[in-house]
Amino acid sequence: MNVADLGLPVDVPSTALFTDQYEFTMLQAALKAGTAERRSVFEVFTRRLPEGRRYGVVAGTGRVLDAVENFRFDQPVIDFLREHRIVDEPTLTWLAGYRFRGDVHGYPEGEVYFPGSPILRVEGSFAECVLLETVILSILNHDSAIAAAASRMSAAAGGRRLIEMGARRTHELAAVAASRAAYVGGFDSTSDLAAGFRYAIPTVGTSAHAFTLLHDSERDAFRAQVDSLGRGTTLLVDTYDVAEAVRAAVEIAGPELGAVRIDSGDLLLVAHRVRRQLDELGAVNTKIVVTSDLDEYAIASLAAAPVDSYGVGTQLVTGSGHPTCSMVYKLVARARSADPAAPLEPVAKKSLGGKTSIGGRKWAARRLDDQGVPEAEVIGTGEVPRELAGRQLPVPLVKGGEVVAREPLDAARERHIAARAALPLSATQLSRGEPVLPTEYL
């Protein structure tokens, strides 16, 4: 079953209005001026990484492909635009037949990126490309921010399992996208069933403090949960007294108890005490799960603790302090006429204050040192040097309006783990620093 075809609330029948109004005003003016059909190249990039970050993570590419496919102006949308006089009748007629028929190249999902990296390149007529700006940026900025935070947390966890549990800390639809991005960034599972249903991400979940408080005693709550879910369940042990709760949990479930969860207190100290107590009670295989407002720094601080997995919510779905990647969508080349054979000319705005852009359709490759470790992100607009030709990063995603690069989400997750592992070791340091690879322009 392809759940994307079900029209669920986590999807929308059309993405056409995920757009800023100025896209439509530019379209109308370009149609009237006769410049709308000029072949154009737009690129998505960021001028800098969030402060202190060593690398970025490309996430949301699969959602971008869905959004481009679903960018359709059906009759209710046309009626809305007409009623509110957003554009004139000739523009409405053009929009009614809109289909993106251009090409898209980009870094494959899960790949890492650096300042200036041409993360996505959209090529077609000015009219068909300009309308996609907002929806592409909203997806990539959000998902890449979550994936970058997830990647840092995954590196800090050092192989211990990570559970995404931030649905209650963000918009209900953003929560689904956040779960997907977290999975790309290295998380193992989610508590969000909508994300599990939509993207086949493994789901987990047991009980909250409310379940314990519902019962007349903690033992009654534990007994009810074990009777229902089996001895392999995870019992929450910090509602009252942790030591007493652990003792009761093992007495009721036996040494086969799956796990205990700790959600408050000095997690480092409590985890050591709980591990010692579990071992003394014979529950040597019972796992310890910790939650409680964790971020990558808190996870790293627990490296020496006997913790088996971490549940992360607020800090993950807000990008751990950086909820956007500041990606932009800029016109970098265009033809002088609508003639398909007209050559492309580089264009770029001139601006002060760090907002300058480099014109021209870009290629990008990662140069390796003599040990096979990446040493630079190389970006150019001319001919690709022979030694870099086989290491180009962008791949075809859409050709002639048809998606050509759809892939399972696990492929993006595995790609990211491999890409991060290939970077210099300093990439995963949590201390503040510059991008781990410099960007070089040719």
Side-chain angles (χ1 to χ4, degrees), residues 27-285:
L27 171 65
Q28 177 176 313
L31 287 170
K32 187 171 183 179
T35 54
E37 296 305 317
R38 289 185 176 186
R39 190 159 56 105
S40 300
V41 179
F42 286 82
E43 288 178 351
V44 175
F45 62 94
T46 185
R47 297 182 176 94
R48 64 191 65 84
L49 297 179
E51 184 180 357
R53 296 287 170 90
R54 302 295 181 91
Y55 61 92
V57 181
V58 178
T61 307
R63 297 209 305 123
V64 166
L65 299 180
D66 292 340
V68 171
E69 276 193 332
N70 291 324
F71 208 89
R72 302 283 188 269
F73 293 85
D74 55 19
Q75 195 57 51
V77 172
I78 294 293
D79 290 343
F80 166 80
L81 296 173
R82 176 180 290 115
E83 178 184 352
H84 292 273
R85 298 183 178 181
I86 304 298
V87 292
D88 60 17
E89 286 299 325
T91 305
L92 290 174
T93 300
W94 187 92
L95 289 172
Y98 179 88
R99 298 290 185 275
F100 179 75
R101 296 182 175 87
D103 298 334
V104 180
H105 289 73
Y107 281 36
E109 189 159 18
E111 183 58 84
V112 296
Y113 71 87
F114 299 91
S117 297
I119 295 164
L120 202 72
R121 184 176 77 237
V122 182
E123 184 169 349
S125 71
F126 176 84
E128 64 183 334
C129 295
V130 73
L131 291 176
L132 299 176
E133 174 183 3
T134 301
V135 69
I136 286 176
L137 287 179
S138 66
I139 292 171
L140 292 180
N141 268 314
H142 173 270
D143 289 23
S144 297
I146 305 302
S151 178
R152 285 162 60 85
M153 294 173 188
S154 173
R160 295 172 179 178
R161 299 185 69 80
L162 289 160
I163 307 162
E164 184 280 313
M165 46 192 297
R168 65 194 63 195
R169 297 293 187 252
T170 188
H171 185 280
E172 66 272 18
L173 300 188
V176 181
S179 294
R180 182 186 183 282
Y183 191 68
V184 170
F187 271 58
D188 300 284
S189 57
T190 179
S191 66
D192 191 326
L193 289 178
F197 183 79
R198 177 67 178 82
Y199 296 115
I201 301 169
T203 60
V204 296
T206 50
S207 66
H209 293 100
F211 185 77
T212 301
L213 297 171
L214 168 69
H215 292 80
D216 296 335
S217 72
E218 192 170 48
R219 285 176 173 268
D220 288 344
F222 288 172
R223 192 171 292 109
Q225 185 171 326
V226 171
D227 288 346
S228 175
L229 299 177
R231 298 175 185 271
T233 192
T234 299
L235 296 177
L236 181 59
V237 295
D238 72 329
T239 305
Y240 304 118
D241 179 86
V242 173
E244 178 55 35
V246 171
R247 186 177 302 109
V250 176
E251 286 180 10
I252 292 167
E256 299 86 7
L257 174 62
V260 295
R261 178 163 75 95
I262 307 165
D263 188 50
S264 60
D266 183 335
L267 297 178
L268 179 62
L269 175 63
V270 175
H272 278 287
R273 288 177 175 174
V274 168
R275 180 74 272 160
R276 183 170 60 250
Q277 186 180 8
L278 287 170
D279 292 346
E280 290 172 350
L281 294 171
V284 295
N285 294 318

Side-chain angles (χ1 to χ4, degrees), residues 358-381:
I358 298 174
R361 182 205 274 140
K362 315 292 191 308
W363 54 262
R366 199 159 289 153
R367 191 176 68 237
L368 308 182
D369 64 16
D370 56 7
Q371 300 297 314
V373 178
E375 64 177 5
E377 191 89 338
V378 185
I379 299 169
T381 57

Side-chain angles (χ1 to χ4, degrees), residues 271-341:
H272 278 287
R273 288 177 175 174
V274 168
R275 180 74 272 160
R276 183 170 60 250
Q277 186 180 8
L278 287 170
D279 292 346
E280 290 172 350
L281 294 171
V284 295
N285 294 318
T286 298
K287 307 296 185 184
I288 296 177
V289 182
V290 297
T291 52
S292 185
D293 292 327
L294 299 178
D295 62 10
E296 60 265 49
Y297 300 101
I299 291 170
S301 74
L302 292 168
V307 172
D308 297 285
S309 59
Y310 306 91
V312 190
T314 303
Q315 291 301 317
L316 176 62
V317 299
T318 57
S320 195
H322 297 289
T324 181
C325 301
S326 299
M327 293 179 187
V328 294
Y329 184 92
K330 296 298 181 183
L331 181 67
V332 297
R334 53 87 173 164
R336 279 191 174 272
S337 73
D339 183 349

